Amino acid sequence: MMNPRIPKLAPSIMTADFAHLGNQVQQAVAAGVDRIHLDIMDGHFVPNISFGPLVAASLRPHCTVPLEAHLMISDADQYLTPFLDAGCDSIILHIEACSNIASTIAAIRKRQKKVGITLNPGTPLSAIEPYVASVDLLLIMSVQPGFGGQSFLPGSLEKIRAARELINRINPHCELEVDGGINLQTLKPAFDAGADVFVVGSAVYNSKASVAQNVAQLLGSVHAR
Ligand code: DX5
Ligand code: ZN
């Protein structure tokens, strides 16, 4: 009997209550999420500023699941060591922001940490194809990077399907993650298109329901007819 596929959730803390971040993360962990997604924005690669390694380091002792750092910064090489020293378990690199991504991947591997690669909605998959064999995760951006709470871009499903085909062909162990606008309506279509892991920001941290209720509903949404 094939094991049924189960979606893995990666809450983004961008829309969480920053005055109580440790508690917000613990609520998500208690609700059964797979990892925590840290959106690192420098106000240059994207038109927004979020937080740095200090916040990652302060969360580390409160978080029993992996921390993944999504680097939306212009100079990833300069900040690899501070994020890895802060306790991040994986680093996700934007192909558009790395001048020599192969050497950046090698630098993360040297620290025996996981590495992911991502691309903006307008960047074709062919740009990252040469690196799929050497990463643990491919992240498809389903919004323009820079803000939480945006709508899922319609063309993303086709890109997810093509990414799934690419991974199956080149590196079947590579995880396929989707980031942006994932909610009760968009998680299942993205899951059916072949994604494994789902970044969920505003769908988890909102005033409509508790973190536990939102996580349970999202996990249940893949079974909806
Ligand atoms: C956007 C970030 C996303 C975002 C997700 O640049 O990479 O992780 O915070 O938030 P939602 O799920 O609300 O779209
Ligand atoms: Zn992100």
Side-chain angles (χ1 to χ4, degrees):
M1 264 286 291
M2 277 274 288
N3 285 341
R5 291 176 61 222
I6 296 170
K8 297 176 195 170
L9 297 186
S12 159
I13 58 172
M14 275 300 280
T15 49
D17 174 2
F18 272 64
H20 303 97
L21 218 40
N23 178 271
Q24 294 265 273
V25 164
Q26 285 172 335
Q27 287 181 44
V29 173
V33 302
D34 187 74
R35 65 196 72 177
I36 297 293
H37 183 84
L38 305 178
D39 286 309
I40 313 301
M41 304 177 181
D42 66 353
H44 193 258
F45 179 72
V46 288
N48 196 4
I49 295 175
S50 61
F51 50 88
L54 287 179
V55 171
S58 65
L59 285 175
R60 183 69 280 178
H62 304 283
C63 183
T64 53
V65 298
L67 292 175
E68 67 177 16
H70 175 193
L71 298 189
M72 289 165 276
I73 63 177
S74 296
D75 189 347
D77 292 304
Q78 190 185 348
Y79 292 97
L80 281 187
T81 301
F83 280 106
L84 293 172
D85 290 351
C88 292
D89 301 280
S90 66
I91 305 281
I92 303 174
L93 305 167
H94 265 272
I95 185 77
E96 303 89 354
C98 293
S99 51
N100 182 346
I101 201 163
S103 78
T104 311
I105 291 170
I108 299 167
R109 282 259 178 262
K110 216 164 155 211
R111 293 283 303 260
Q112 286 153 350
K113 296 293 181 178
K114 289 196 169 178
V115 58
I117 192 167
T118 187
L119 63 175
N120 289 343
T123 304
L125 279 173
S126 55
I128 55 96
E129 184 164 344
Y131 310 104
V132 170
S134 49
V135 297
D136 304 292
L137 178 135
L138 168 55
L139 175 73
I140 299 294
M141 289 303 305
S142 41
V143 295
Q144 289 299 341
F147 301 91
Q150 300 181 77
S151 298
F152 185 85
L153 290 169
S156 309
L157 289 179
E158 202 184 316
K159 206 170 187 180
I160 295 167
R161 283 189 208 99
R164 170 46 62 200
E165 191 276 320
L166 195 63
I167 285 174
N168 290 352
R169 184 160 49 82
I170 297 174
N171 179 5
H173 300 295
C174 183
E175 287 183 312
L176 180 54
E177 185 170 26
V178 183
D179 187 8
I182 294 292
N183 56 31
L184 292 175
Q185 286 71 48
T186 56
L187 195 154
K188 182 168 171 29
F191 180 74
D192 293 344
D196 308 301
V197 189
F198 303 86
V199 177
V200 276
S202 50
V204 165
Y205 295 112
N206 59 50
S207 56
K208 285 188 229 122
S210 70
V211 170
Q213 288 163 331
N214 286 327
V215 167
Q217 281 191 330
L218 286 161
L219 288 173
S221 71
V222 291
H223 305 302
R225 291 256 162 269

